[in-house]
C-alpha cells in the first residue's frame, strides 16, 4: 500500500538560497521512497529596483544551492529516488498587467516572476544539475505553456 505525503517548504516567497535542508523531514521519521523537487519561480523573481534586470538568485547560486540540497538529501535519505521538475509556465501577460497596475497605484517596489528569459536560464541550470547528479528531469514548463 502506498502512502503519499506532500510537503512544500517554499510558499510565500522563500527561495532556493534560503531553503531548509532535509533534517526536519528526517526528524519526522518519514523515509520517502520518492522525492520530487519543483523549484524556480521564487528564485527567478525579479523586482523593480533594478528594472527587473536580474533574478533574485542568479544561476551560479541556483546551481550551487541545488547541489547542496541534493547532497543533503542523498546523505539524509540515501535510498530515496529523486526526480527534478522544471517550473510550470505562468500567465506572463497577466503578471505584467498586475505589475503595471501596482506601478500606477504607486507601489515603491514591485516583484515579478515568470519572466521567460529568467525561467529559461533556470531551466538550463536545472538541466545541468540533473546531468551532473544523474537525476531524471521532467519538463513541466513546455506542456503548460498553452494553458496561459
Amino acid at each position: 500500500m502506498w502512502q503519499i505525503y506532500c510537503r512544500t517548504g517554499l510558499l510565500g516567497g522563500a527561495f532556493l538560497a534560503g531553503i531548509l535542508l532535509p533534517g526536519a523531514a528526517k526528524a519526522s521519521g518519514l523515509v520517502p521512497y520518492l522525492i520530487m523537487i519543483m523549484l524556480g519561480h521564487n528564485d527567478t523573481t525579479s523586482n523593480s529596483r533594478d528594472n527587473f534586470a536580474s533574478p533574485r538568485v542568479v544561476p551560479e547560486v541556483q546551481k550551487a544551492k541545488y547541489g547542496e540540497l541534493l547532497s543533503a538529501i542523498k546523505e539524509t535519505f540515501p535510498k530515496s529516488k529523486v526526480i527534478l521538475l522544471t517550473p510550470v509556465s505562468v500567465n506572463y501577460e497577466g503578471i505584467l498587467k498586475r505589475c503595471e497596475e501596482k506601478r500606477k497605484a504607486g507601489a515603491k517596489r514591485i516583484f515579478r516572476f515568470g519572466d521567460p528569459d529568467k525561467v529559461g536560464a533556470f531551466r538550463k541550470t536545472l538541466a545541468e544539475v540533473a546531468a551532473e547528479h544523474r537525476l531524471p528531469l521532467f519538463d513541466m514548463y513546455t506542456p503548460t505553456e498553452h494553458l496561459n
Side-chain angles (χ1 to χ4, degrees), residues 83-146:
I83 296 174
L84 304 180
L85 304 130
T86 68
V88 296
S89 178
V90 297
N91 179 352
Y92 187 58
E93 295 304 318
I95 291 169
L96 291 177
K97 182 179 176 184
R98 283 190 297 278
C99 288
E100 180 60 17
E101 290 168 358
K102 288 178 181 181
R103 186 192 65 75
K104 286 179 179 177
K108 301 261 188 240
R109 189 169 178 198
I110 302 166
F111 291 91
R112 183 171 81 197
F113 71 94
D115 288 12
D117 62 326
K118 292 169 189 63
V119 175
F122 181 81
R123 291 169 63 209
K124 181 180 176 197
T125 298
L126 189 55
E128 293 169 6
V129 169
E132 287 175 17
H133 290 266
R134 296 185 178 143
L135 295 172
L137 173 63
F138 288 91
D139 177 15
M140 304 300 288
Y141 187 88
T142 303
T144 57
E145 281 182 293
H146 75 281

Side-chain angles (χ1 to χ4, degrees), residues 44-81:
T44 60
T45 298
S46 57
N47 71 75
S48 57
R49 245 187 218 165
D50 69 351
N51 200 29
F52 307 102
S54 58
R56 175 183 247 174
V57 183
V58 297
E60 298 79 23
V61 175
Q62 291 168 353
K63 188 172 186 177
K65 292 298 181 179
Y66 236 114
E68 290 175 23
L69 174 63
L70 293 171
S71 293
I73 288 171
K74 185 173 184 168
E75 182 180 317
T76 307
F77 303 114
K79 295 182 180 181
S80 297
K81 310 288 185 233

Side-chain angles (χ1 to χ4, degrees), residues 5-10 20 24-25 30 36:
Y5 175 77
C6 297
R7 170 126 167 69
T8 182
L10 297 178
L20 296 174
L30 293 173
M36 299 174 73

